[in-house]
Every structure is written in structure tokens, then in C-alpha cells.
Amino acid sequence: MNSKAYSLFLKDFKSELRTRYAINALAMFIIVAISVILFSVGNEKISASLTGGLFWVVIFFTAMSGLSRAFVSEEERGTTLALQLVAAPTTVFSGKLIFNIILVFAMNTVIAILYSAMFDAFVIQNFLLFLTSFVFGNIGLAVSSTIIAAIIAKAGAKGTLYPVLAFPILLPLILTSVQLTLFAIDGISFERAKFELAIVVSYDVIMLTASYMLFDFIWKE
Amino acid sequence: MIWKIFLFLLLAFVSVAGISFPIVENPTRWYEFPLIPGLEENAKIIFFHVPTAWLTVIAFLMSTIYSFKYLRKKNLDDDVKSYAAAQLGMIFCILATVTGAVWAKFAWGSYWSWDPRQTSIFALLLIYGAWFALRSSIESEEKRATLSSVYSMIAFVTVPFFIFIMPRIMSGLHPGSADDSNAGPVVNFKMNGNMQLIFFLSMIGFTVLYFWMWNVGYRSMLLKEKLDKKLIRG
């Protein structure tokens, strides 16, 4: 099953490299979103805590613009039935999830680098804490957006519905991640942030379990 | 029929008593409420705000339970029941948000201040809104039922974060939250006997009202569906 999930991921990866649809769209969206913030801020000096919040605004909307592709593209090309024949639902979900996790990590790393280059106030004091929260936050983001993408694809690829459905599900993760980013900016120690870290980790675990249990129903629909 | 009259009398009594009974410092007569420091006259909203918030949770829970049932048995009646519960839940959720905001204006000075409870009821409103948006976007009945059931299950697993965890990481103003010293667990210690009695009568009255409304709601929806099918077949 694992090798099958890996080959499904490889298929997505190769077709992505050929069309470069998601990568191009995401890269442009990141630039657009950050420049919108830069223009709206103007010459104003913004505080460090505000940059921490805006950082997650960029991440959320970028994720919403590109991550639904995983399942919507299958539905558009009409390859869903073929996938249903060759692989078990959990395998399909694993393949898509790996692809989305890699996409989220690539996208958020670019955002973080560009962001810290553009905003002088965005200085991370406790880098290790930022990295830990970043990794777990990305996994949670990828899991939730993958399962919502599966629902959206079956609902007839309604693009506008994606952020609407995903936002309440992602809200606990985003609120805690903003908090953790602020902690990292303020240079607060690991010890004091461990409750927030535990929330993010438990969110990841709960979402992963629920997604694997519920994906069957979506996929067979 | 008799219980409907009884329910009407009960809710009428609760409404009149909740609004008109005076709050005094040392209650001696049966109709007087005690003064709760930090809440004063504002405490009266407890008879209307808490039941609506409670019914929001109950309706959400029932909607999820029937969604779960639908996923197991694939019986479309369960989906209708889930939908009827969610509709009522949305109404009570809006009522709880509005009554809470009005109360907050007088108790905290502003309608909205992102207290953990306000954040969680806002998230619940968003979940209901997204759920209805998802339902209205799908034509096929079975598909709509399955996808909305799955979404309500996913939304349901995030609820513990809002109810148990958010109040711990954000400081709260709401009576009964962890760091609230002056208006602590209101129901248990600060209310006297008659206040508790009217509070629980109000809870019971509203809960029965909810189940009645839910029953009427889903039965009418099922009848409508039956009629539609009859009309199509001719």
C-alpha cells in the first residue's frame, strides 16, 4: 500500500512538473498577496506582532488558492473512476496528502523567506520554536485542506466554497499558530509555549485520524 | 395537546418571572433574586441567553449524530432530521450571539471583544454557514447528504478546541471562565433557590420547545418530499 501511495504521489508530482499549474499559481499568489500587504502598509511602520498575524493571513489565502487542485484536477480530467479502480481510498488519500504536504512546505518556506526579507519588523528571536510550530502547523494545514479539497471536488469544484468550508476547520490551528509565531518573535522559551505546541500536535493527530476515517465516504460518492 | 398548553404556561411564567422579579441585596420574599457582585441587573439575561446557547450545542450535537447515522445506514430520513436540527441550531446560535452581544455591551462596555466564548460561538456560526453553503451547492440528494454529513463530522472534531482549549490560552471575561474571580460559577454558588428554579425551568422549557420545533420541522420536510415524489410520479 505504501509503494502504491508513493507511486500515486509520483504521478501527481510528474504531472505537476509538466504543467506547473499549481506551482505557478501559488508562486504568483504569494507575490501578489505580499505586495498587496506592502502597498497597503505603505511607509507605515508596522509592529512585530502585526507581522506575525499577517504572515498567517498570507499562508491561509495562498493555501486556499492552490491546494484544492489535488482532487479537483482528477475530477476535471475525469480520472477519478480510474483511480477508484486501481487503488484503495486510503492509498489515494495518502498519495494526495504527501503531495499537498510537500506543496505546503515549499510554499510556506518561500513565504517565510520573502516575508522576512520584506518586513524589517518580522524578526524571529527563538528560531527553534518557530521551526517546530511551522512544521506542525504546515502538516495540519495540509491535512485539513486535503480533506476539504476532496469534499469540494465532489461538490462540483466550486472554487469560492473552498475557503468558506476550510476556514472554520482551520481556525483552531491558525489561532494557535499565530500565537506561537508571536511567541517566537518575542523570544519566549520552549517551556512556556509547550501548551500551544501540544494543541497544534493534537490538532494534527485528530484531523489525520478523522480524515482517514471519513475519506472512504467522500471517495465512494 | 395538554403538554403544549403546559409548555406555553411554563415559558410565559419564565419570561414574566425572569424579566420582572426584582434583584435585591438580601432576598427575603420568594420572588426576589439575590445580587451577584459584578453582574447586578445584567444577571437576568441568564434566563434567556444560557438556554439559547445550550440549545445551539444540543442542536449541533443532534445534527452530527444524525449525520453519523446517515453515514452508517444511508437512510435519507436521517439527513432530513440532521438538516432540521441544524436549521434550529442556526436560529438559536444567532439568538445566543445577539443576546450575548447585547449583554456584553452593558457588562463589558462593548458589543464584541473576542472573548474565547465569543470566538467559539462565532466559529460555530461560521461552521453552520459553511454547512448550509455546501448543502445548497449540491443538486443530488444522496451526494448532498453524504458530503454534508462528512463535513459536519469534520467540523465536530474541532469543537473541543473551541470549548475546552481556547478559553485556556486566551484570557476570558465571560462569567464562569477560568480566571474569573468576581462572578465565578454563577449557577452553583451565587444563585439562590428561586433563581436556580427559574433558571432550570427556563432550560427545561426551552429544551422541550426545541424538541417540539425539531419534530414539526423534520416531519413537514419529510411530508413535503413525499408529496414532491407523488407529484412527479403523477
Side-chain angles (χ1 to χ4, degrees):
Chain A
M1 178 204 143
N2 283 330
S3 66
K4 252 189 177 176
Y6 178 69
S7 40
L8 259 174
F9 156 70
L10 221 58
K11 170 201 87 85
D12 276 347
F13 190 68
K14 275 181 186 157
S15 77
E16 180 54 44
L17 279 187
R18 237 170 253 165
T19 60
R20 284 183 225 92
Y21 181 92
I23 297 175
N24 278 338
L26 281 178
M28 285 317 291
F29 197 91
I30 292 168
I31 294 169
V32 168
I34 292 184
S35 43
V36 164
I37 293 178
L38 280 172
F39 288 140
S40 58
V41 167
N43 291 325
E44 213 70 38
K45 201 98 183 99
I46 60 171
S47 64
S49 57
L50 187 56
T51 56
L54 284 176
F55 178 62
W56 280 93
V57 172
V58 176
I59 287 182
F60 173 72
F61 280 108
T62 313
M64 289 305 103
S65 74
L67 292 186
S68 64
R69 288 297 302 166
F71 285 103
V72 171
S73 64
E74 300 288 350
E75 211 68 37
E76 274 174 2
R77 283 185 231 137
T79 42
T80 317
L81 277 175
L83 265 186
Q84 279 176 345
L85 280 177
V86 296
T90 47
T91 318
V92 176
F93 189 71
S94 307
K96 298 288 179 190
L97 184 60
I98 299 168
F99 182 73
N100 266 358
I101 284 179
I102 287 176
L103 207 59
V104 166
F105 267 91
M107 154 196 127
N108 286 1
T109 313
V110 172
I111 291 176
I113 292 168
L114 267 181
Y115 204 80
S116 45
M118 291 295 155
F119 292 94
D120 298 331
F122 190 67
V123 179
I124 306 289
Q125 309 260 358
N126 187 347
F127 188 72
L128 203 62
L129 177 66
F130 177 73
L131 199 68
T132 321
S133 72
F134 187 71
V135 169
F136 287 116
N138 284 355
I139 293 173
L141 184 65
V143 174
S144 301
S145 25
T146 310
I147 191 80
I148 301 292
I151 296 180
I152 286 296
K154 291 287 175 185
K158 304 269 192 314
T160 44
L161 211 54
Y162 190 44
V164 172
L165 289 187
F167 183 66
I169 309 295
L170 284 171
L171 197 56
L173 180 78
I174 290 176
L175 285 177
T176 351
S177 293
V178 168
Q179 199 83 15
L180 278 168
T181 311
L182 294 185
F183 283 174
I185 289 174
D186 291 341
I188 280 172
S189 69
F190 246 87
E191 199 54 32
R192 277 182 56 201
K194 77 177 179 231
F195 187 71
E196 276 78 5
L197 276 176
I199 295 173
V200 177
V201 174
S202 56
Y203 178 89
D204 291 0
V205 174
I206 289 173
M207 272 302 154
L208 200 62
T209 321
S211 305
Y212 268 101
M213 284 167 75
L214 292 168
F215 183 68
D216 271 24
F217 296 108
I218 306 173
W219 191 236
K220 281 177 196 151
E221 187 45 57
Chain B
M1 191 59 210
I2 189 82
W3 64 270
K4 284 177 191 167
I5 295 166
F6 184 70
L7 181 68
F8 171 74
L9 289 176
L10 181 70
L11 281 173
F13 170 71
V14 165
S15 311
V16 171
I19 293 169
S20 64
F21 282 11
I23 288 186
V24 293
E25 256 177 69
N26 294 308
T28 45
R29 273 164 294 202
W30 65 273
Y31 55 80
E32 284 170 345
F33 291 148
L35 189 84
I36 299 170
L39 288 176
E40 280 106 35
E41 287 284 325
N42 301 333
K44 282 180 176 178
I45 197 129
I46 199 170
F47 304 117
F48 308 104
H49 171 67
V50 178
T52 51
W54 156 254
L55 287 185
T56 310
V57 176
I58 290 284
F60 192 46
L61 194 68
M62 277 183 57
S63 171
T64 313
I65 289 171
Y66 279 103
S67 294
F68 183 70
K69 263 192 175 168
Y70 173 78
L71 284 182
R72 289 195 53 166
K73 302 256 173 69
K74 298 275 174 190
N75 180 0
L76 275 174
D77 289 3
D78 286 334
D79 181 59
V80 171
K81 284 177 189 173
S82 163
Y83 183 59
Q87 273 185 335
L88 284 174
M90 184 79 179
I91 294 168
F92 283 112
C93 193
I94 292 169
L95 280 178
T97 315
V98 171
T99 51
V102 168
W103 179 81
K105 176 69 181 167
F106 294 102
W108 305 340
S110 68
Y111 286 110
W112 204 261
S113 47
W114 294 111
D115 175 79
R117 300 289 175 103
Q118 288 183 325
T119 311
S120 41
I121 200 119
F122 177 68
L124 208 53
L125 268 179
L126 282 181
I127 291 173
Y128 275 130
W131 196 75
F132 287 119
L134 176 67
R135 283 187 75 92
S136 58
S137 77
I138 307 167
E139 297 270 320
S140 148
E141 269 183 359
E142 278 88 10
K143 203 178 211 179
R144 186 203 299 144
T146 311
L147 292 183
S148 59
S149 297
V150 169
Y151 185 72
S152 80
M153 303 289 296
I154 295 173
F156 186 71
V157 298
T158 64
V159 167
F161 287 98
F162 292 114
I163 295 177
F164 301 112
I165 296 169
M166 284 303 149
R168 272 198 66 182
I169 62 168
M170 300 156 126
S171 57
L173 299 159
H174 196 283
S177 53
D179 55 348
D180 179 33
S181 54
N182 59 347
V186 176
V187 178
N188 300 335
F189 303 109
K190 304 279 170 63
M191 285 161 81
N192 70 352
N194 57 37
M195 203 170 176
Q196 271 182 0
L197 179 73
I198 290 181
F199 173 69
F200 286 116
L201 278 181
S202 169
M203 290 290 258
I204 293 167
F206 272 97
T207 311
V208 174
L209 182 71
Y210 161 76
F211 277 99
W212 182 25
M213 284 168 84
W214 173 68
N215 193 279
V216 171
Y218 86 75
R219 272 189 310 168
S220 71
M221 270 185 242
L222 285 178
L223 282 177
K224 190 168 168 280
E225 251 170 43
K226 227 185 227 170
L227 272 177
D228 281 350
K229 270 173 196 157
K230 239 182 209 166
L231 281 178
I232 290 166
R233 283 199 197 112

